[in-house]
Amino acid sequence: MSDSADLKKAGLKATLPRLKILSILEAAKVHHMTAEDVYKALLETGEEVGLATVYRVLTQFEAAGLVIRHNFEGGRSVFEINQGSHHDHVVCVECGEVFEFYDPAIEERQRKVAESLGFDVDSHSLYMYGVCLGMKRHGHCSKKEGR
Amino acid sequence: MSDSADLKKAGLKATLPRLKILSILEAAKVHHMTAEDVYKALLETGEEVGLATVYRVLTQFEAAGLVIRHNFEGGRSVFEINQGSHHDHVVCVECGEVFEFYDPAIEERQRKVAESLGFDVDSHSLYMYGVCLGMKRHGHCSKKEGR
DNA sequence: CTTTTGCATGGGAATGATTCTAGTTTACAC
DNA sequence: GTGTAAACTAGAATCATTCCCATGCAAAAG
């Protein structure tokens, strides 16, 4: 259950930067962070880590299945901790908030489509972009900042 | 029906680079191209265009709804001509081939999910990544090149 | 058909995100 | 503890994309 054990299980040495990054991702209120976000959070805890390390570690975590990388609109990657349960995303283009949902019917239809193509699916992602309720109604929402 | 008219309708001057880029996208056999792909195709026709222009034009075309931009895995954007009919994508991570499909049931469920969140959806994208039949069976397929 | 006017272009520099390189440090097996 | 492979840091390098600005060209006006 400890982060240290999680890392070992993934075949990764339990180094300080890795432990810190993992705990930041786990503790994050907004749990979709860019590499830069993680780097800033590390600096705030007074940690001496290089941005290169953040990228390297996030990529290793992705390969190990500890985190999920998303390529949202705009080109930069965002990462979220992998809590086991697959879900899809709805992103507000005004405030940046990310909602998650899971729809078994959609998952099933995707599986069928892949099957009919003879495709072995490794991963799939479904993103919807639009304007959230708060921004529509009041021009702001819980996460007011734009981008 | 002419490209020139299409551009004017979109509020864009019918300049030579724009016409060329539009015709390349329309004629493309593999119709998911990166900006670099389009640039190379232009050079092959002997055209003197700057890469910056290609990016600028593709972005304008996207805004005008003439092309669709996709952010597949790997960071770079790919573009396809917008032929009106929405569809989703299945990408082979081995050979790079892109298959398209449309599933009304999935579309409908997405609509429902957005509605239940009070979300106005501008766009949505569904990508599945995996290994295509040809690569599984023979280690190669119609589009053998890797990436 | 020519002039006018302003948006469009080209190319190189700039930016932003991400990755590589070199030399140094650390985790962990013995 | 000690050795060794793996990991770390900082900064340089790379890649995709965008910016800047002097020049060019499309469309409107004459």
Side-chain angles (χ1 to χ4, degrees), chain A residues 13 15 17-18 48-50 52-53 56-57:
Chain A
K13 281 190 194 169
T15 65
R18 285 175 182 164
E48 278 293 313
V49 273
T53 299
R56 191 159 9 83
V57 168

Side-chain angles (χ1 to χ4, degrees), chain A residues 52-68:
Chain A
T53 299
V54 173
Y55 276 102
R56 191 159 9 83
V57 168
L58 287 172
T59 301
Q60 292 164 338
F61 282 6
E62 182 194 11
L66 293 171
V67 306
I68 313 271

